[in-house]
Structure formats: C-alpha cells, structure tokens
Amino acid sequence: MDHQNKIQTRSSLKRKFEQEFEEDKSDRCKAAVVESRRTHQDILRDVRLHVDVLNSRISFSEADRAAAKLSAHLLSEFAKNEDLVDLIVECGAVPALVKHIQTPMLLTESDPKPDEYEVEKASAFALGLLAVKPEHQQLVVDAGTLPCLVNLLKISKDDCDSREVNGVIRKAADAITNLAHENAAIKTRIRIEGGIPPLVELLECREIKVQRAAAGALRTLAFKNDENKKEIVECNALPTLVLMLSSEDVTIHYEAVGVIGNLVHSSPNIKKEVLLAGALQPVIGLLGSRCLESQREAALLIGQFAAADSDCKVHIVQRGAVPPLIEMLMSSDVQLKEMSAFALGRLAQDTHNQAGIVQNGGIMPLLSLLDSKSGPLQHNSAFAVYGLADNEDNVVDLIRTGVVQKLLEGEFIFQPTKDCVAKILKRLEEKIHGRALNHLLYLMRTAAKAVQKLVALALAHLCSPNDRKPIFVDNNGLELLLGLLESKSCKQQQAGSEALYKLAKKDTSLSSVDAAPLSPTPQVYLGEQYVNNPTLSDVTFLVEGKIFYAHRICLLASSDAFRAMFDGGYRERDAKDVEIPNIRWDTFVLMMRYIYTGSVTVEIDLAQELLKAADQYLLDGLKRLCEYTIAQDVSVENVMLMLELAEAFNATTLREACLLFILEQYKKISTKPWSSRLIRRIIPDLRNYFVSSLAKCDDPRREHT
C-alpha cells in the first residue's frame, strides 16, 4: 500500500511541474524549444554555454538578470528530458543554479531590481527537475540549496503578495518536494533547516497554487518520518488541512487528504488529533470527489481511521461511508478498488458494521474482486469477507451468493491471502449450526434451484459430521449433489464431485481404504509350520499337477465353502485327494497360507486372481486384503475395469474405493470419452453408498460398536 502511495506521489509531482511550466510559459522570455533532432554535441555545447552564463552573470544588472533568467529557463527545458539530466549535472549546472536562488548583491538599496524573483523562480524550477533523479538529490543538497529554498519560502513575509512572489514560492516548495522524495536524510535536513513552519504558514496563502505546492511538500516530508509529522502537527497545520479537504479545487483537497494520510499512517496519536480536528466528515465527503486520486486517498484514510477504535468504525458507517465505498468496488480503476476494499475490510472488523455492509450490497462486488489478477486487491477483498463472515446474520447471505465455491476455486496470488481464505472457511464452518443451519436447510428446500445447489455444495464442505444425515438424506442435499454430476456444465460437475468427495472424507467411517483392513474375527490358526505339511495331513489338493497337504479341521474352521465341501453332501467329503481346477498353484498356496495363519502379503500381480479365489471360497478376510491391494492400483485408465471387477466378485470395499477415486480424480476422468457413461453408471451406487454410510454415522450405537 505504501509503495503504491509513493509511486502516485512521485508521478503526480512531475506532472504538476510540467503543467505549471506550461501555465507560466507566456510569462517567460520567448525562448527556442529544444529540438529532438539536435545532436548530443549540440546539446552539450548549449548546456555548457548556459552554465557559463549562470556562473558569470550574477549581478542585479538588467543585462545579467535577463541572461541568467534565459539560461536557467533553457536548462529547465533540457531537464524535462530525463535522459539529459545526467549530462546537465555533469556540466556543473547545480552549483551555478544555486547561486541564483540567493539574493544578488546591490550597489545601493535604491538600485532597481530587474526581473525580481524571475531568475530565482527559473533556477528553483530547474533544480527541482534535476532532483527528480534520486541519484542527484544529495548533490543538489550538498551545493547549499536547502537554506536558499527555505529563505525563498519566507519572502511573502517581507514582500507584497504578488504574482512574482507566489511564483518563486511555488517553485521553491516543488523543489523541496522532489529533493525529499524517498530520501529520509533530506527530509530530516529540511526540518533542521527550518523548512516546515513556513510551509505550514503557506497553507493559508490566498493563492491556490501556493497552497497546493506547500501541501505537496508537507505530504512528502510527512511520509514515514515521525519527527516531521510531529513538527507539522505542532505548527498547527491540522485546522487548515481539514478546511482544505472541503475545497472546491480538486488539486487542493487531493494534496490535503494526502498530507493527512501520511500524518496518520502508523501514528495513532496523530490519528486521534486529526479526528478531533474534524477531518472525518470531509474525508467521507471526498469519497464522492470527481478526482480519482482524491477518492483513492480518502478511501485509504477511511481505512486508517477505522483502525483507531470500534467507536470510530461505527461513526464512519453512520456518516454514510459504506455506500460510496461499495460503489468504488465496481470502478474500473484497480487502485481505487483496492483502497475501498481495504477500508471496508477494516470497517468489517466491527460487529455492528458487518450486517450493514452486506445489506448495502457489499457481498457480490467483494466476491468478484477475488478473481482479480492483482494480489493486493485479492487480499483486501478476502480480508473484508473474513470480517463479514464473523456475523451469524451474514452467513446465509454469503453462502447463498456462492462464497464457498468462490473461495475453493479461486487462484490466489499471495500466501497471506490463501491463509485468509482458509480462515474464512473455518469461520463459516464454526457458524453452521442452530439458526443459520435451519435457514440454509429451508433454502435448500424452497429456494430457486441454483441457490439450492450452492447451499448443498457449501454444506458438504462446511457441515459437522453429525449434521450430514439431516442435511443430505433427510433434506435432499444428496440428490442436489448427485444432480450436479449429471449437469451439462463441466464446472458444476467438478464442483459436485469435489463436494461429494469432501462429504465422504469428513469421517473415517466413510473412507474404505484409508488403511489396510483388520484381521477377521479372531480364531485359532494352525500356523505357518503346517502349511503344505504332510504331518497329520488328512486331505490333499491337486493343483496344476502338484500336491498340497492340508488338514480338514483347519479348512472347516476357515469358511462356509470348505465346511460345505467336507461336511456336506459333496463328493469331496470322503475324498483323500481333491482336484482344484481354474486356480494357479501360486494363488492357491497364498490362499492356504492365509487359512493357516490369518495373514498374508498380497502382491498386486496376484491380487485379482486371489480375489476371485477368496470370493469363490467365501474367505471374507482374504477378500478384503485383496480389495485393499487392488484399490491402491486404481488409476484413471483402469478405473472402469476395476469397477467391473468389484461388481463381478461383489467386492464392496473395492467398489467404494473406485467410487471415491472417481470423485477425487473427476477432473482428469472427465477428459475421457467414456466419462459421461461412467458417471451415469455409478450414480445409483453413489446414492446407495452415501445413504448407507450416512445412516451408519447417525446410528447412536456406532460409538459402542
């Protein structure tokens, strides 16, 4: 913010110099204008010539004054081209010009004073232009410029208030402005040289241009210099500056609000004095100024006032600042939007103001600014929304206008902005209960379809786990989200998938594959040493021509399939050798190892075949292990095949893992030609999954199971 303020100040000063030069052009000698076609040598020769004239013609004779005036004027013409400033300085123009902002010696007091103050004015103007380049500021000061400029500021005390006097004072003040710009040491030096008191006195000059020049200098001197601020206030500048805020002259109130802005920045005590001096209402009035720069400065100052205390925030709103600030949010000027968002953000930190900003239509303009490519503008807007979200009465309005989706989808430039966005979502999440939740549920049942969808999306991200069933099962929220998956809008499809995935991940009970499954119901296992061991073996299996030694008691305890095989009416009941078709040896050995030990490492290359075997022999624990391994290998390319695999073997865990994967990776899946067919296919499964899972979450017995 400060950086931008400095840039504006510097550019405005340079414009002012050139503008005033044009205004005064008719009063100067009719001199030749520098032509762009002239060679470097021609210009170098002319500059040296004019420097020589200034060094040699320093008396009050009419000829010397006229020559000095012309040379100073032509050097200022050259200095308007910043590419020539270095050349002018290298030719020794600075000490030569400084000689002519001092009063020349008179032979007698009665001698006439030709071109009185005109030479001083032209010389001060040229020095000011040379000081535009920061690298030359100290050189100009070291040449003895400051005491002379300060003396020029004081001449109105001794001479009549004439056009000539006003002209030289303006140029002296402008030169001080450029010398002090972004130079802390020179700002301090000007104060030490006594430059601040005459500048404050000049604020009351009858000549508007002098007021403007004096205010511009004070504005620069006050920027980030506490001692200068203190002296400006002690010189009783505030009453006059406050009056200037109400000036009909745009340039006057622009400079005045700039001075006050720099005075109050990081200075709480001065801020209080400014408010006591009556600045608040005039500053609010400047929000409607026809001058864009005055509006910016006023909005920034309102934000600074709002940081004073809670009462001040309330007074600002009561005096009508909110509507113009909101209107500024819709300006085409980025900096004006930034300053107004800054002010609204500060005002929104007070509970009494939060609802008022919303009721005045502040939500939509602030949300639209979150899409800005300007980092500071994004941040100020996010900070304002953060304040608004603190008021329970605003929660419903924020959600129904899509704030949650805007925050989730936004591309934010600065990390502090991202942190602020996270805090907004957290603040909203904390307020989704009681009256606010009931109102949102009412909207989800009765509002326009678009609003219903926005509410459902927001609640999927923000609601507490205990509220999911009432919201998404009992109040139709799930159907709204599933409907988004079938939307023709890719953006809505993506939003729906993200919301459903968030809803599923709110509680571990809804996530099927966050960790490997636990072992099945505890039972006694024979152990690894009996795997394919002929000791006490009472049955053998023939698999791919190989013999596997097994034990009926272990098999009977493992699953209903083996119990039916060996204890039912099947021929295997009394057989000593049982042939196992359609299962490879490696797969069968793994299955048997699981039966004997209760655990096994399932590698991905055997997982699908082992799943088929586990399903065939009703080994639910092994089946879950296989599903878990396969789920880790699900990808965008194979998710359809994995879903078919899950359906073929009634692999519930794998099917749920595929459903969650599709929701999580929807953006990538949506680029595939088969994506729409896949979504239509899984919607019934998604519905059943969420209804079943959310019902379990709401089951009061769940905590004890």
Side-chain angles (χ1 to χ4, degrees):
M1 196 86 65
D2 294 340
H3 176 64
Q4 290 182 342
N5 197 28
K6 289 188 284 186
I7 292 175
Q8 293 170 19
T9 302
R10 182 170 188 180
S11 61
S12 66
L13 285 169
K14 190 171 180 187
R15 284 199 306 274
K16 182 169 69 175
F17 269 30
E18 295 185 353
Q19 174 189 351
E20 293 189 0
F21 179 82
E22 292 300 323
E23 291 172 357
D24 295 346
K25 189 173 181 180
S26 60
D27 302 320
R28 290 188 173 87
C29 301
K30 302 296 183 180
V33 179
V34 178
E35 297 179 8
S36 60
R37 291 174 293 178
R38 301 184 68 182
T39 67
H40 179 79
Q41 289 300 320
D42 291 337
I43 296 173
L44 178 61
R45 185 185 64 248
D46 286 352
V47 169
R48 285 174 173 169
L49 175 63
H50 296 310
V51 170
D52 288 342
V53 169
L54 291 173
N55 281 325
S56 60
R57 311 293 283 274
I58 56 175
S59 75
F60 242 131
S61 71
E62 186 172 352
D64 283 355
R65 295 288 284 175
K69 175 183 174 181
L70 177 60
S71 291
H73 164 61
L74 291 176
L75 284 177
S76 65
E77 281 289 305
F78 283 118
K80 288 180 181 180
N81 182 346
E82 286 194 28
D83 292 336
L84 298 179
V85 167
D86 291 343
L87 181 148
I88 297 169
V89 171
E90 289 167 2
C91 288
V94 171
L97 288 165
V98 171
K99 292 177 182 178
H100 290 274
I101 58 174
Q102 305 174 41
T103 303
M105 294 294 294
L106 297 175
L107 295 176
T108 67
E109 287 298 325
S110 60
D111 286 340
K113 301 177 182 177
D115 292 319
E116 187 172 20
Y117 299 124
E118 289 296 321
V119 179
E120 290 84 348
K121 181 170 73 170
S123 300
F125 181 53
L127 286 166
L129 288 174
L130 296 178
V132 167
K133 279 201 165 185
E135 58 266 33
H136 299 316
Q137 291 172 330
Q138 194 60 50
L139 174 67
V140 175
V141 169
D142 291 342
T145 304
L146 290 183
C148 300
L149 292 175
V150 171
N151 285 334
L152 291 177
L153 296 176
K154 299 175 181 177
I155 59 175
S156 60
K157 291 182 178 180
D158 306 315
D159 291 278
C160 61
D161 188 10
S162 66
R163 185 170 172 275
E164 291 77 12
V165 169
N166 290 334
V168 72
I169 291 174
R170 280 164 37 217
K171 297 309 175 192
D174 288 343
I176 286 174
T177 299
N178 269 16
L179 283 169
H181 179 67
E182 294 187 14
N183 193 314
I186 293 178
K187 289 178 186 177
T188 299
R189 181 81 175 272
I190 291 169
R191 183 184 75 250
I192 293 171
E193 294 288 350
I196 290 178
L199 285 169
V200 172
E201 289 184 21
L202 290 171
L203 295 177
E204 299 187 24
C205 178
R206 289 193 295 270
E207 171 57 48
I208 292 292
K209 293 177 182 177
V210 173
Q211 291 181 31
R212 181 176 66 195
L218 290 171
R219 175 180 187 163
T220 299
L221 293 173
F223 187 73
K224 290 187 175 180
N225 191 305
D226 291 339
E227 291 301 317
N228 283 2
K229 291 180 187 181
K230 182 180 177 182
E231 183 162 333
I232 291 170
V233 173
E234 289 175 349
C235 287
N236 202 32
L238 292 182
T240 306
L241 288 169
V242 170
L243 291 174
M244 292 169 71
L245 292 174
S246 302
S247 172
E248 294 181 1
D249 188 291
V250 168
T251 61
I252 293 298
H253 64 235
Y254 165 65
E255 294 293 0
V257 75
V259 179
I260 292 175
N262 286 349
L263 286 173
V264 305
H265 180 69
S266 301
S267 301
N269 292 331
I270 294 179
K271 189 183 302 181
K272 291 178 182 177
E273 292 190 51
V274 167
L275 290 169
L276 288 173
L280 181 56
Q281 195 61 53
V283 171
I284 292 174
L286 288 180
L287 296 175
S289 170
R290 65 181 186 275
C291 172
L292 195 63
E293 292 176 328
S294 292
Q295 286 184 301
R296 290 178 195 151
E297 293 290 344
L300 176 59
L301 195 48
I302 290 293
Q304 292 172 323
F305 286 159
D309 54 57
S310 184
D311 287 342
C312 188
K313 293 182 178 71
V314 174
H315 293 159
I316 291 169
V317 173
Q318 289 174 340
R319 294 174 183 234
V322 169
L325 286 171
I326 292 175
E327 186 177 347
M328 289 178 187
L329 294 176
M330 296 174 275
S331 167
S332 59
D333 184 82
V334 173
Q335 290 180 338
L336 183 58
K337 290 189 285 192
E338 181 187 333
M339 301 305 177
S340 57
F342 168 74
L344 287 168
R346 291 294 184 88
L347 293 173
Q349 303 312 305
D350 181 85
T351 305
H352 299 288
N353 297 337
Q354 291 156 355
I357 294 172
V358 170
Q359 293 306 311
N360 277 280
I363 290 181
M364 290 307 295
L366 285 169
L367 293 188
S368 67
L369 296 182
L370 294 175
D371 294 329
S372 169
K373 302 302 181 185
S374 165
L377 183 51
Q378 278 187 345
H379 185 72
N380 286 344
S381 302
F383 185 67
V385 174
Y386 175 70
L388 300 181
D390 188 42
N391 192 311
E392 185 181 1
D393 292 331
N394 292 341
V395 170
V396 173
D397 287 320
L398 286 166
I399 288 178
R400 73 193 300 174
T401 50
V403 68
V404 174
Q405 285 307 111
K406 180 72 73 173
L407 296 175
L408 292 173
E409 296 169 2
E411 296 179 0
F412 303 106
I413 299 169
F414 297 149
Q415 185 58 46
T417 308
K418 297 175 184 177
D419 296 340
C420 185
V421 166
K423 290 179 180 178
I424 297 171
L425 292 171
K426 182 64 176 177
R427 180 168 275 186
L428 289 171
E429 182 179 349
E430 292 170 351
K431 296 184 181 299
I432 302 298
H433 58 79
R435 180 163 56 92
L437 178 57
N438 289 335
H439 193 167
L440 290 168
L441 292 177
Y442 175 77
L443 290 178
M444 208 163 65
R445 295 192 303 269
T446 64
K449 205 67 175 179
V451 175
Q452 290 182 16
K453 292 175 182 177
L454 286 173
V455 173
L457 287 169
L459 289 176
H461 290 277
L462 301 178
C463 73
S464 72
N466 293 336
D467 290 328
R468 284 173 300 172
K469 182 177 180 294
I471 295 170
F472 295 99
V473 177
D474 302 342
N475 282 276
N476 209 40
L478 178 59
E479 293 305 317
L480 289 168
L481 296 180
L482 292 174
L484 289 171
L485 293 182
E486 297 183 285
S487 168
K488 294 181 180 179
S489 164
C490 294
K491 186 175 181 180
Q492 287 197 355
Q493 293 171 7
Q494 178 68 26
S497 65
E498 289 176 356
L500 286 166
Y501 184 72
K502 179 70 174 180
L503 187 62
K505 300 297 283 187
K506 274 185 176 289
D507 189 274
T508 54
S509 67
L510 287 178
S511 179
S512 304
V513 292
D514 281 343
L518 299 174
S519 298
T521 305
Q523 65 184 68
V524 177
Y525 299 101
L526 290 184
E528 177 71 28
Q529 67 270 28
Y530 286 100
V531 176
N532 198 18
N533 188 336
T535 302
L536 301 178
S537 172
D538 53 4
V539 63
T540 57
F541 292 102
L542 298 176
V543 183
E544 292 187 330
K546 299 177 183 179
I547 297 175
F548 188 97
Y549 296 97
H551 307 78
R552 289 175 184 264
I553 190 170
C554 184
L555 299 173
L556 288 169
S558 66
S559 78
D560 290 341
F562 283 113
R563 278 192 289 275
M565 180 184 294
F566 295 114
D567 201 26
Y570 295 100
R571 59 186 176 84
E572 291 89 350
R573 176 176 180 174
D574 299 317
K576 294 294 183 180
D577 299 315
V578 179
E579 185 174 357
I580 302 296
N582 304 322
I583 298 181
R584 292 191 300 140
W585 171 259
D586 291 345
T587 304
F588 186 79
V589 170
L590 277 177
M591 181 179 75
M592 298 305 289
R593 176 168 284 113
Y594 175 80
I595 290 172
Y596 276 77
T597 66
S599 65
V600 69
T601 300
V602 181
E603 301 295 342
I604 189 61
D605 56 337
L606 289 177
Q608 293 190 31
E609 190 175 345
L610 190 57
L611 172 67
K612 179 181 177 181
D615 182 64
Q616 179 180 343
Y617 288 98
L618 305 179
L619 298 168
D620 291 339
L622 178 60
K623 189 174 177 180
R624 286 197 300 272
L625 285 173
C626 295
E627 290 180 69
Y628 174 77
T629 299
I630 296 169
Q632 309 311 305
D633 195 46
V634 175
S635 68
V636 172
E637 302 302 329
N638 69 16
V639 66
M640 281 195 73
L641 294 175
M642 295 301 182
L643 197 57
E644 291 172 356
L645 180 69
E647 292 174 354
F649 299 110
N650 193 28
T652 304
T653 300
L654 178 58
R655 179 169 61 247
E656 292 176 357
C658 289
L659 294 178
L660 293 182
F661 179 85
I662 292 168
L663 294 176
E664 183 183 18
Q665 300 296 325
Y666 182 82
K667 189 171 185 178
K668 294 178 180 178
I669 290 173
S670 64
T671 63
K672 303 300 180 181
W674 39 262
S675 63
S676 58
R677 185 170 75 253
L678 174 64
I679 294 302
R680 287 194 300 270
R681 174 181 172 182
I682 68 169
I683 282 180
D685 288 337
L686 284 171
R687 181 181 290 108
N688 293 335
Y689 165 68
F690 277 104
V691 170
S692 173
S693 299
L694 292 174
K696 290 177 184 176
C697 293
D698 196 50
D699 189 344
R701 296 170 298 174
R702 176 183 164 215
E703 295 181 2
H704 306 289
T705 58

